[in-house]
Amino acid sequence: MKGRSIILDHWQGREAAALMIDGKLDDLLIDADLPRTGTVCRAVADRPVKGQGGMFLKTPDGPAFLRQVRGLAPGQSLLVQVSGYAEPGKALPVTQKLLFKSRYAIITPDAPGLNISRSIRDEAERDRLLEIAHDTLDGAATGLILRSSCEGIDEDEIAADIEAMATLARRVSEDEGTGMETLAEGDGPHALAWREWVAPAQVSTEPGGFETQGVAEAIDALRSPRESLEAGASMYVEPTRALVAVDVNTGNDASLAAGLKANLACARALPRALRLRGLGGQIVLDLAPMPKKDRRSFESALRQAFRSDTVETALVGWTPLGHYELQRKRARIPLAEVLA
């Protein structure tokens, strides 16, 4: 099946969304019994962590950890937003820098100013979008980022999106309550699909779409750590408690040329493999043997592959043993936990 398709369905009783490109699963969102990223709550400061500059908080969803905080006393109420998912047994990561994000607009209450995505280069279009933003906000003291998805979109549609997010941000920011309380829920898979998968696509909302359109089969395949690469090569993506290990194998061809080819294929396939499995944290690549002179080619391929990936990933570099390390935000729940 050629082209892009978005399937909105449920998987094992949970809300779920899948993005298929040319018949291949490219992205997957499945709800879980955990606080959603983007949830805003009123928390209560609990106890500081000496030496780390952080503070443990009490929230309606359990303990949370706020980094780099000053002047916060135990018992004090504050607004925080869930910024990711915690490993089992660890506190929920939160931030005080609130973002209210939708398909076209991001409201930033604590960072005033109007900004337009740099990917929109046409000056006439940028002027049009700035005019829409000024007219809609009408002098409101808040920050606004217009996303790349705004390009060419009808004025009324963009204005409605800005107004909805600005209203939500204003309601939350003006909260004067005390004690723990959830003030705004993060988006679920269906809302996230609408918000983030903005390229033209055929959308299916029929119940059972995962079964009829190949998503269920693709999910079952993700239970295996093995990912097939080109020319008989493969890689194994396996999470441990400490890190995610990625092992690249060339198959029957043990030549250095085959090693380089397999490693370049790994670079291209890695963002999708991590995204679908919901993996983050420390990632260590045990690559196939290749000459040191080819490392630059591998690094270029890796940078290019992660450029379009939506999860923040730092390409750290080589270890003395010749492994390559990455650091990736824990932006999603590991698929293995969802399917357990």
Side-chain angles (χ1 to χ4, degrees), residues 183-251:
L183 302 178
E185 290 282 356
D187 288 332
H190 290 181
L192 279 173
W194 173 80
R195 193 182 90 187
E196 301 298 335
W197 301 341
V198 298
Q202 181 179 351
V203 180
S204 170
T205 59
E206 293 293 325
F210 273 25
E211 294 289 346
T212 60
Q213 301 196 45
V215 179
E217 183 179 350
I219 293 175
D220 285 339
L222 290 171
R223 297 179 187 273
S224 168
R226 188 179 188 278
E227 285 274 338
S228 295
L229 302 175
E230 303 167 8
S234 62
M235 67 178 180
Y236 289 78
V237 183
E238 299 180 281
T240 70
R241 284 190 63 85
L243 51 82
V244 176
V246 179
D247 180 44
V248 181
N249 297 308
T250 59

Side-chain angles (χ1 to χ4, degrees), residues 247-271:
D247 180 44
V248 181
N249 297 308
T250 59
N252 295 328
D253 189 345
S255 67
L256 293 179
L260 174 60
K261 188 174 181 179
N263 292 337
L264 294 177
C266 164
R268 293 188 291 269
L270 188 60

Side-chain angles (χ1 to χ4, degrees), residues 124-190:
E125 178 67 2
R126 294 180 68 88
D127 290 342
R128 182 184 79 94
L129 294 175
L130 276 175
E131 186 174 344
I132 294 171
H134 281 293
D135 290 346
T136 305
L137 290 178
D138 193 25
T142 189
L144 170 66
I145 301 170
L146 291 179
R147 307 180 68 191
S148 59
S149 52
C150 288
E151 191 166 15
I153 299 300
D154 180 75
E155 174 182 344
D156 291 341
E157 194 171 346
I158 297 173
D161 207 49
I162 295 172
E163 180 60 33
M165 288 299 99
T167 300
L168 175 61
R170 185 165 53 250
R171 177 177 65 80
V172 171
S173 300
E174 292 176 355
D175 171 73
E176 296 181 351
T178 58
M180 298 180 290
E181 183 181 351
T182 299
L183 302 178
E185 290 282 356
D187 288 332
H190 290 181

Side-chain angles (χ1 to χ4, degrees), residues 24-193:
K24 184 177 182 180
L25 184 62
D26 188 74
D27 206 348
L28 177 68
L29 304 168
I30 302 178
D31 215 358
D33 298 326
L34 293 171
R36 294 169 173 172
T37 298
T39 294
V40 180
C41 68
R42 190 188 317 115
V44 175
D46 188 12
R47 56 186 175 86
V49 181
K50 295 181 179 179
Q52 295 187 29
M55 174 80 76
F56 280 108
L57 313 177
K58 297 177 182 178
T59 78
D61 297 304
F65 184 70
L66 179 63
R67 295 181 180 275
Q68 298 176 343
V69 61
R70 293 180 181 178
L72 187 62
Q76 185 176 336
S77 295
L78 68 159
L79 296 181
V80 294
Q81 187 170 44
V82 177
S83 57
Y85 292 100
E87 296 177 80
K90 292 191 177 181
L92 194 67
V94 295
T95 178
Q96 287 184 289
K97 297 178 180 178
L98 306 185
L99 297 177
F100 297 88
K101 191 173 184 179
S102 190
R103 186 178 177 96
Y104 303 120
I106 302 174
I107 296 293
T108 58
D110 300 321
L114 300 181
N115 297 281
I116 298 175
S117 169
R118 286 179 292 181
S119 65
I120 301 177
R121 295 186 173 87
D122 183 83
E123 289 301 324
E125 178 67 2
R126 294 180 68 88
D127 290 342
R128 182 184 79 94
L129 294 175
L130 276 175
E131 186 174 344
I132 294 171
H134 281 293
D135 290 346
T136 305
L137 290 178
D138 193 25
T142 189
L144 170 66
I145 301 170
L146 291 179
R147 307 180 68 191
S148 59
S149 52
C150 288
E151 191 166 15
I153 299 300
D154 180 75
E155 174 182 344
D156 291 341
E157 194 171 346
I158 297 173
D161 207 49
I162 295 172
E163 180 60 33
M165 288 299 99
T167 300
L168 175 61
R170 185 165 53 250
R171 177 177 65 80
V172 171
S173 300
E174 292 176 355
D175 171 73
E176 296 181 351
T178 58
M180 298 180 290
E181 183 181 351
T182 299
L183 302 178
E185 290 282 356
D187 288 332
H190 290 181
L192 279 173

